[in-house]
Amino acid sequence: MSAAKAAQPLHRVLVVDDDADIVEMLEYNLNKEGYEVRTATDGRKAIEIARTYLPELVLLDIMMPHLDGIETGRQLRDIAELRQTYILYLTARSEEYSEVAAFDVGADDYITKPIKPRALMSRINALFRREAQKADPGEQITIADLLINRKNYSVSQNDKSIILPKKEFELLFFLAQHPNKVCSREELLQKIWGADIYVLERTVDVHIRKLREKIGDTHIRTLKGVGYMFTDQPEVG
């Protein structure tokens, strides 16, 4: 089993938490699963490391000195090379507003402490497994004024490049794959976040709002009480 794991390419993980015991526990379990790990004890150091390390996954606490996890997540998402990096919050904050704030800055998942190491490793493994299954170099969609390329996670609108974090891109790609079809929030949560990850339905609304800010508000229509629909004939205001 360990030989099989060793043969697989390592994923780079950055662990950010000001609790040394949690950092040590996470680093140990991630190394055991075959991941390459770097650590930081505050947000500023995390951003400094991330610029050169370019992690594929960041495990991020919220309550930290110098720079809290929400602002750290926001600044990580502003780094172009990290726009496809997964960000998972591991935090003692269980309030809904903290969870919404995390997803608002581009979180992929939100897990409340205490951390269950085996369950967390299973969740992380599933995350990368789904990523591998979705990879298809030939997938490209041209619809209305958008060119969406899944090979390099790029989006352009009227020849202008648009940078989207991973979950926003996946949400846009899925909707564009099914033009003029109404998708419920529940369906979008299962298709984009996965059935094994629990997030608030409001998370979908947050990501739709952020997409509209970037591609305009004419492509994705809201059907109140039902869901969202990507239209291939956007209304011209």
Side-chain angles (χ1 to χ4, degrees):
M1 183 174 179
S2 59
K5 284 180 182 175
Q8 297 174 355
L10 293 175
H11 292 290
R12 298 180 304 280
V13 181
L14 175 59
V15 176
V16 190
D17 200 304
D18 61 340
D19 187 320
D21 291 336
I22 289 179
V23 170
E24 183 180 358
M25 178 268 289
L26 290 172
E27 185 174 17
Y28 170 78
N29 282 278
L30 286 163
N31 281 329
K32 199 165 82 168
E33 289 291 316
Y35 293 103
E36 179 184 317
V37 184
R38 296 278 181 87
T39 65
T41 54
D42 64 71
R44 289 178 185 170
K45 188 64 178 177
I47 292 167
E48 179 185 330
I49 293 173
R51 288 184 186 280
T52 54
Y53 182 53
L54 301 180
E56 296 163 82
L57 167 67
V58 179
L59 298 179
L60 185 58
D61 188 23
I62 287 185
M63 296 183 290
M64 296 185 296
H66 307 308
L67 197 67
D68 67 54
I70 299 298
E71 184 55 33
T72 300
R74 190 190 313 279
Q75 293 190 29
L76 287 171
R77 283 294 184 226
D78 286 341
I79 299 172
E81 294 84 357
L82 300 178
R83 68 179 184 270
Q84 304 307 331
T85 294
Y86 288 110
I87 297 179
L88 272 65
Y89 280 90
L90 304 176
T91 177
R93 303 291 295 269
S94 58
E95 309 93 343
E96 182 176 326
Y97 69 82
S98 294
E99 186 171 346
V100 170
F103 284 113
D104 198 32
V105 297
D108 294 287
D109 201 356
Y110 189 97
I111 302 168
T112 54
K113 297 175 180 177
I115 298 167
K116 299 176 182 176
R118 289 180 62 185
L120 177 61
M121 294 305 116
S122 176
R123 210 150 162 169
I124 291 171
N125 291 338
L127 197 69
F128 285 118
R129 197 161 52 243
R130 284 198 304 272
E131 177 73 12
Q133 291 170 351
K134 284 188 290 193
D136 185 344
E139 288 192 276
Q140 178 171 296
I141 296 175
T142 301
I143 187 165
D145 56 352
L146 295 170
L147 175 62
I148 311 169
N149 188 317
R150 194 169 197 167
K151 180 179 179 180
N152 53 17
Y153 276 73
S154 67
V155 178
S156 61
Q157 184 176 40
N158 297 322
D159 297 323
K160 180 182 177 183
S161 178
I162 299 173
I163 295 175
L164 297 178
K166 185 183 289 287
K167 279 292 180 283
E168 287 178 35
F169 178 90
E170 291 177 353
L171 181 57
L172 175 63
F173 192 87
F174 180 80
L175 288 169
Q177 275 184 310
H178 306 88
N180 306 313
K181 173 185 178 296
V182 180
C183 299
S184 68
R185 290 175 178 83
E186 181 178 318
E187 178 184 3
L188 293 172
L189 283 173
Q190 290 196 2
K191 296 294 185 181
I192 309 303
W193 280 267
D196 55 338
I197 294 179
Y198 173 75
V199 292
L200 299 170
E201 284 195 358
R202 187 174 170 184
T203 301
V204 175
D205 303 336
V206 170
H207 282 70
I208 292 289
R209 173 174 58 78
K210 295 180 80 66
L211 273 176
R212 285 171 170 161
E213 289 172 357
K214 295 168 184 173
I215 67 170
D217 58 6
T218 61
H219 298 81
I220 302 173
R221 295 179 184 172
T222 302
L223 283 81
K224 290 186 178 180
V226 183
Y228 294 101
M229 179 180 74
F230 187 97
T231 174
D232 58 1
Q233 295 182 333
E235 298 175 354
V236 178

